[in-house]
Amino acid sequence: SAVISQKPSRDICQRGTSLTIQCQVDSQVTMMFWYRQQPGQSLTLIATANQGSEATYESGFVIDKFPISRPNLTFSTLTVSNMSPEDSSIYLCSVRGTSRQETQYFGPGTRLLVL
Amino acid sequence: QKEVEQNSGPLSVPEGAIASLNCTYSDRVSQSFFWYRQYSGKSPELIMSIYSNGDKEDGRFTAQLNKASQYVSLLIRDSQPSDSATYLCAVTPRSDRGSTLGRLYFGRGTQLTVWP
């Protein structure tokens, strides 16, 4: 499976500010995804990061709040904009290969606390 | 994304017993099903994947899929205290059928405790 790293691993931010989270994979992957896991909750898919084009967002998530970049097949960023305490969560990057039945693997996550 | 339902538990079993975790899904044409294990403070790790009706065994783990009943389960035999974690069921949604999108929708997870 691919080795996935995320930066930062954790951060404490003030409301109204923005934070950019980086996801780096050690091999080229077709699909990259961003998930959110709020305290005590399961994973919710935010968007699919598309290489060379705009991300595909799930219902309830918008580009202005969660802009995503994916400049190549090994790297993506997620920005959490104009943060509020409700954005306190773990943000996880995941990757999937080229096969239909190939599974997703998750990065270590970024723990975000908004004060 | 509320397509996957799990009993949140907690489920508590003694060491050596069989733990049975259940998951139902609403999308009849879902094709791919996964079980992830998540230890507290860690990211999810894949345990099992299953795509066809029936049972799939991997060591102490058995995944069971019944598409007619829209039901997938995970059995853990000879449960160990190290199996104590939250188990997440995930499915590929209808709109991704036949594509390479591969998005996953997760259930809320079942917290399992195996006591010695």
Side-chain angles (χ1 to χ4, degrees):
Chain A
S1 62
V3 176
I4 308 166
S5 61
Q6 285 186 235
K7 290 182 182 179
S9 59
R10 59 180 65 231
D11 207 342
I12 301 174
C13 301
Q14 298 298 319
R15 69 172 66 208
T17 62
S18 298
L19 176 72
T20 295
I21 302 168
Q22 299 179 3
C23 177
Q24 180 74 53
V25 190
D26 69 343
S27 59
Q28 293 187 343
V29 291
T30 303
M31 308 301 297
M32 295 179 77
F33 306 89
W34 287 98
Y35 289 82
R36 178 174 74 182
Q37 188 171 30
Q38 294 177 303
Q41 303 297 315
S42 188
L43 283 78
T44 301
L45 179 63
I46 298 172
T48 302
N50 301 308
Q51 194 265 328
S53 64
E54 193 171 285
T56 304
Y57 290 84
E58 296 295 306
S59 176
F61 297 96
V62 295
I63 188 171
D64 290 346
K65 176 67 175 178
F66 297 102
I68 288 171
S69 77
R70 190 174 174 197
N72 56 53
L73 292 176
T74 64
F75 184 79
S76 178
T77 66
L78 168 74
T79 298
V80 186
S81 303
N82 188 25
M83 288 183 285
S84 66
E86 291 71 34
D87 293 320
S88 298
S89 185
I90 300 172
Y91 292 86
L92 294 140
C93 168
S94 76
V95 303
R96 182 177 181 271
T98 56
S99 166
R100 265 189 67 200
Q101 293 191 343
E102 195 160 345
T103 51
Q104 284 188 33
Y105 300 94
F106 286 84
T110 296
R111 294 176 176 273
L112 171 62
L113 176 63
V114 184
L115 302 177
Chain B
Q1 297 185 22
K2 295 182 179 179
E3 302 183 358
V4 184
E5 299 290 337
Q6 290 183 256
N7 184 338
S8 61
L11 175 65
S12 182
V13 301
E15 184 174 358
I18 296 176
S20 178
L21 305 163
N22 303 317
C23 173
T24 58
Y25 57 95
S26 59
D27 183 356
R28 187 173 296 277
V29 295
S30 291
Q31 294 292 299
S32 306
F33 307 87
F34 305 89
W35 283 99
Y36 285 81
R37 177 175 62 196
Q38 186 174 29
Y39 292 112
S40 180
K42 301 294 185 181
S43 60
E45 58 179 323
L46 181 69
I47 294 178
M48 294 283 287
S49 58
I50 186 167
Y51 308 101
S52 303
N53 280 327
D55 295 359
K56 179 181 178 182
E57 187 174 317
D58 184 0
R60 296 186 295 112
F61 300 97
T62 298
Q64 299 175 319
L65 176 60
N66 184 326
K67 290 187 178 182
S69 300
Q70 295 176 233
Y71 174 94
V72 58
S73 66
L74 179 70
L75 300 178
I76 306 175
R77 292 182 301 281
D78 188 24
S79 295
Q80 302 296 312
S82 58
D83 294 326
S84 298
T86 297
Y87 290 80
L88 301 165
C89 173
V91 304
T92 302
R94 172 200 301 265
S95 56
D96 291 359
R97 182 190 184 201
S99 78
T100 58
L101 288 176
R103 294 174 297 173
L104 290 181
Y105 291 160
F106 284 82
R108 292 172 58 86
T110 298
Q111 184 178 348
L112 171 67
T113 300
V114 181
W115 45 276

